[in-house]
Amino acid sequence: MNSNGIRAVIFDMDGVIVDSEYVYMDYLLDFARSKNPAVVMEQLNPMVGLSRKDSWSIMADAVSNGQSWEELMAEFRKLDIYSRVDYQAIFRPDALTTVKELHRRGYLVALASSTGPKLIAKIVEVTGMRPWFHLIVSGGQFKRSKPDPEIYHYTAATLGVPESACFVVEDSTVGIQAGKAAGMTVAALIDDRFGFDQSRADYRIRTISDILEYL
């Protein structure tokens, strides 16, 4: 165990490892405006980090065209926007250097993302991050999404580390809530674009490498 009691560092992916949320939101805004030109980004910002149902219910409310959230989501998925995103271009390179340093210091390192397993696999491969995670966990494995702490309880248990010995790097309101609800120390990567409430985080950081000051 390290001197501060932390034994494992767990990273969120979207908005942390890759700066993907603003890219996705641009696609979502274009989609929403194709249904209702009056939609503005502020209506959609709360979608970030939520489960599919919760997120797409916000879209359905914003569009307000009579389509269900399931219908809208299915239509958007057919656009396959994820195949168009250059994940290497939006990768935060200090994620890799920081994770390598965490390995050198003896920490376990995990990824716990609400994203589906296929897209996670693609992103960690493209960015070269795959070999550096001791464990990769997808929200698709669970019935409940962040802010429910289930994904973090599972990650800690699988690593064999108490929740209190885990340090989480998140950005979204729901991600921070999930980490805190799991009894973990949470650092929030500052992002003012989506109206996130990061007040519950133990630390607020401007770059991923800043976590090394606290570990």
Side-chain angles (χ1 to χ4, degrees):
M1 181 181 290
N2 292 279
S3 59
N4 56 13
I6 299 296
R7 293 169 53 191
V9 181
I10 308 171
F11 290 87
D12 178 39
M13 185 178 70
D14 287 298
V16 177
I17 302 296
V18 286
D19 189 15
S20 53
E21 287 164 345
Y22 84 97
V23 178
Y24 298 158
M25 293 307 294
D26 280 346
Y27 280 114
L28 287 165
L29 182 61
D30 287 344
F31 176 75
R33 285 180 172 169
S34 74
K35 306 286 184 181
N36 179 349
V39 174
V40 295
M41 186 67 88
E42 285 72 21
Q43 292 173 272
L44 304 182
N45 279 342
M47 293 178 70
V48 176
L50 296 180
S51 68
R52 286 183 297 178
K53 180 180 179 180
D54 292 343
S55 181
W56 281 91
S57 294
I58 291 168
M59 172 67 79
D61 288 342
V63 169
S64 192
N65 70 340
Q67 286 184 276
S68 68
W69 71 265
E70 294 99 332
E71 291 169 334
L72 289 165
M73 185 182 74
E75 190 175 333
F76 183 76
R77 290 181 74 173
K78 289 178 182 177
L79 300 176
D80 191 23
I81 65 104
Y82 303 106
S83 66
R84 308 180 210 170
V85 177
D86 182 353
Y87 289 101
Q88 186 60 51
I90 57 174
F91 173 56
R92 300 187 197 273
D94 68 329
L96 183 56
T97 55
T98 301
V99 166
K100 287 181 178 179
E101 175 61 17
L102 291 173
H103 273 257
R104 191 190 70 79
R105 296 186 187 185
Y107 292 97
L108 294 171
V109 183
L111 182 71
S113 170
S114 296
T115 299
K118 288 184 179 179
L119 187 54
I120 290 176
K122 174 182 177 177
I123 292 173
V124 296
E125 194 67 45
V126 166
T127 59
M129 292 291 289
R130 180 191 289 277
W132 296 98
F133 291 117
H134 293 98
L135 176 66
I136 295 175
V137 183
S138 165
Q141 300 170 227
F142 309 100
K143 291 182 178 179
R144 298 182 299 275
S145 297
K146 300 172 185 178
D148 190 284
E150 185 177 14
I151 189 171
Y152 282 125
H153 287 312
Y154 174 88
T155 302
T158 306
L159 290 172
V161 176
E163 282 92 345
S164 60
C166 294
F167 187 102
V168 169
V169 186
E170 276 280 3
D171 64 323
S172 69
T173 305
V174 294
I176 293 164
Q177 290 171 340
K180 292 302 295 178
M184 299 178 177
T185 300
V186 178
L189 186 62
I190 294 170
D191 193 331
D192 299 322
R193 294 170 292 182
F194 307 108
F196 292 148
D197 178 3
Q198 299 183 327
S199 61
R200 291 193 62 195
D202 299 283
Y203 306 106
R204 296 186 75 209
I205 56 174
R206 296 217 168 260
T207 65
I208 294 172
S209 59
D210 287 348
I211 67 171
L212 298 172
E213 299 177 22
Y214 307 112
L215 293 168

